[in-house]
Amino acid sequence: MTMIQQQAGKMGHPLMNLLRLNGTPILQQLQLEEKLLRTSSDNWCIINDGTDTPAIVMGVSGKPSQLLEIGPVLQDRVPVIRRFTGGGTVIVDSGTVFITLICNKDAVPGVQPYPRSIMSWSGLLYSEVFRGLGDFKLRENVPSKPSDKSKAMERSNLLAFSKFELEMEEAETVYLLLNKEGRDHTEFICRLKEYLPRSVFIDKTVESIETYFSVNPTNMEAIDESQGAEFVHSTTLLTRQELEEASASQPKTIGVSV
C-alpha cells in the first residue's frame, strides 16, 4: 500500500488520480477519457490547460449540417471531432481549460446515474472555485455561463466533462451556426479570465477536489503502463468526405464556397 493510499484510508476519502496536461490535443484527451471510463474502476481527474490545435467538438448525435458553417470549416481545415458523449457543439483552442472527472459510483454515494444528478454533484466541486465571483453555476439554459459540459454513465462509472473558456477567440465563432434561440456563441459563453487568472482557477479547482478526495498525481506514462491493451475508441475525427456530404445537404445560402 502506497503512502497516498494510507492517507486516503485515514482521512476516509476515496483516492482520486490527478492527471495534469498542457496543450494536449483534444482528440487525444477525449480518447483517453473514453478508455478510462470504460476500462478502469479507479477515480480520475484530468485537467488539460488548452489544446494546441483548435478544433470543433460535437456530441455523439450531432449533425454537422445542422450545427456547423461547413464552408468556413472546410476552407480553414478545422478538425471536427465527434465525441463519445452527448452535449452541445463547441469550439476549443489554447484558451480553453478542460476538466474531466471520472468516478466509480461507490466513491460518490448519493449520486444517481442521471445527467442532472451528475451535474449537481460536479457543481458542488466548482461552487468553492467560483465563490464571490458572481452567479457562476453548472446548470442548463443560463444567460451566461463559464463552461459547457457533457455527462456520461457506465455500469460502474460516472463522467462529468466541462470546458471553461479563459480566452475565447471571437473570430472562431464563425464556424458555428446560430443556436436555436438565435444567439451566437459569444452571447452565452463568457471569458473566465475577466474574473479569475488561469493558474488560480486550476489551483482552486484542485483544492476543491481535495475536500472530497485524496489526490494522487500521476502522468501519461503511468497510465499507459497500467491500462495495457489497445482500446477501440468511438471518439473519432470526421473525414473531409463526411463534411462535404453534410455541406451538400445544407441550403446554398449557408457557409461559403470551397
Side-chain angles (χ1 to χ4, degrees):
M1 180 179 292
T2 65
M3 181 63 70
I4 188 70
Q5 288 173 323
Q6 292 174 346
Q7 292 174 347
K10 292 178 181 178
M11 296 175 61
H13 292 332
L15 182 67
M16 170 74 78
N17 295 301
L18 172 64
L19 176 64
R20 296 185 66 159
L21 305 172
N22 188 8
T24 296
I26 186 59
L27 178 60
Q28 180 181 346
Q29 178 192 339
L30 288 169
Q31 290 181 337
L32 172 62
E33 293 169 2
E34 182 181 3
K35 182 177 181 179
L36 292 175
L37 177 71
R38 293 177 173 166
T39 65
S40 174
S41 60
D42 295 334
N43 303 309
W44 299 89
C45 174
I46 301 173
I47 299 177
N48 186 14
D49 190 358
T51 179
D52 287 344
T53 303
I56 297 170
V57 180
M58 300 172 50
V60 65
S61 60
K63 297 181 179 180
S65 62
Q66 298 176 3
L67 299 168
L68 305 180
E69 294 279 10
I70 300 179
V73 170
L74 288 169
Q75 180 174 279
D76 296 342
R77 300 181 181 275
V78 181
V80 179
I81 299 164
R82 191 188 304 279
R83 63 174 174 255
F84 67 102
T85 64
T89 301
V90 294
I91 299 171
V92 299
D93 56 21
S94 60
T96 309
V97 173
F98 308 90
I99 299 177
T100 300
L101 298 165
I102 302 173
C103 295
N104 188 286
K105 292 176 183 177
D106 293 338
V108 284
V111 178
Q112 300 298 313
Y114 303 106
R116 187 171 298 277
S117 180
I118 295 173
M119 188 168 61
S120 295
W121 165 69
S122 58
L124 291 176
L125 294 173
Y126 294 117
S127 62
E128 287 300 319
V129 179
F130 300 131
R131 184 179 294 277
L133 298 179
D135 189 25
F136 287 119
K137 296 180 180 179
L138 293 186
R139 62 188 184 190
E140 304 290 348
N141 301 320
V142 294
S144 182
K145 58 183 179 180
S147 72
D148 283 305
K149 62 277 179 189
S150 62
K151 290 81 59 178
M153 295 80 72
E154 294 288 313
R155 271 185 296 180
S156 60
N157 290 339
L158 307 172
L159 174 146
F161 168 89
S162 296
K163 60 173 286 289
F164 295 86
E165 297 291 357
L166 274 292
E167 302 175 52
M168 182 181 63
E169 296 292 337
E170 291 188 22
E172 293 181 354
T173 62
V174 300
Y175 302 129
L176 300 186
L177 290 173
L178 294 178
N179 66 42
K180 63 184 179 181
E181 285 112 8
R183 298 175 297 161
D184 69 30
H185 195 62
T186 57
E187 288 185 65
F188 60 95
I189 297 291
C190 63
R191 295 179 179 84
L192 271 180
K193 73 171 185 177
E194 298 173 3
Y195 301 89
L196 202 63
R198 193 183 195 107
S199 60
V200 174
F201 166 69
I202 294 175
D203 289 343
K204 286 175 70 69
T205 299
V206 174
E207 290 174 4
S208 181
I209 292 170
E210 288 175 336
T211 64
Y212 297 90
F213 298 90
S214 289
V215 173
N216 175 39
T218 188
N219 54 50
M220 286 292 291
E221 290 74 17
I223 293 176
D224 291 339
E225 291 177 2
S226 64
Q227 296 303 304
E230 291 295 320
F231 177 79
V232 179
H233 303 94
S234 60
T235 297
T236 58
L237 184 68
L238 270 63
T239 66
R240 185 176 182 85
Q241 180 178 345
E242 288 175 306
L243 292 173
E244 289 175 343
E245 291 174 353
S247 179
S249 68
Q250 287 185 317
K252 296 300 182 183
T253 56
I254 294 179
V256 298
S257 60
V258 294

